[in-house]
Amino acid sequence: MRVLVIDDEPSVARALRRMLSGHDVTLWGEGDDAVGLITSGAYDAVLCDLMIPDKSGIEIYDRVQRDDPAQLRRIVFMT
């Protein structure tokens, strides 16, 4: 399974990668480019922090809803 983790806190992102060992995990620390990664369809699941400094998780969700609503079912929010 390919998993995208969007979190601006490196220690949290690394901990999630360890917990998801055995899966192909990509860590991403910014919200701006995250929408493109999600809408690429390359990930089976997206774990997204709600509080990212440059773009909130809700803003990311809204952009994905506009650009590629089929990907919304892959997004799980965390905080």
Side-chain angles (χ1 to χ4, degrees), residues 31-60:
D32 281 335
D33 295 330
V35 173
L37 292 171
I38 296 168
T39 59
S40 74
Y43 298 96
D44 301 301
V46 178
L47 303 179
C48 184
D49 187 12
L50 280 172
M51 306 302 274
I52 302 169
D54 64 331
K55 187 177 294 292
S56 74
I58 299 303
E59 290 173 305
I60 291 170

Side-chain angles (χ1 to χ4, degrees), residues 6 31 35 48-52 55-66 72 75-78:
I6 305 167
V35 173
C48 184
D49 187 12
L50 280 172
M51 306 302 274
I52 302 169
K55 187 177 294 292
S56 74
I58 299 303
E59 290 173 305
I60 291 170
Y61 184 89
D62 288 343
R63 286 275 314 279
V64 172
Q65 185 173 34
R66 187 186 75 213
L72 293 176
I75 300 174
V76 176
F77 290 109
M78 56 186 182

Side-chain angles (χ1 to χ4, degrees), residues 8-21:
D8 63 306
E9 295 184 42
S11 61
V12 172
R14 287 191 306 269
L16 286 165
R17 182 183 358 223
R18 283 192 304 275
M19 285 187 271
L20 295 166
S21 65

Side-chain angles (χ1 to χ4, degrees), residues 1-5 13 16-18 20-27 43:
M1 178 186 289
R2 294 197 67 206
V3 180
L4 174 62
V5 174
L16 286 165
R17 182 183 358 223
R18 283 192 304 275
L20 295 166
S21 65
H23 298 285
D24 181 6
V25 178
T26 300
L27 303 181
Y43 298 96

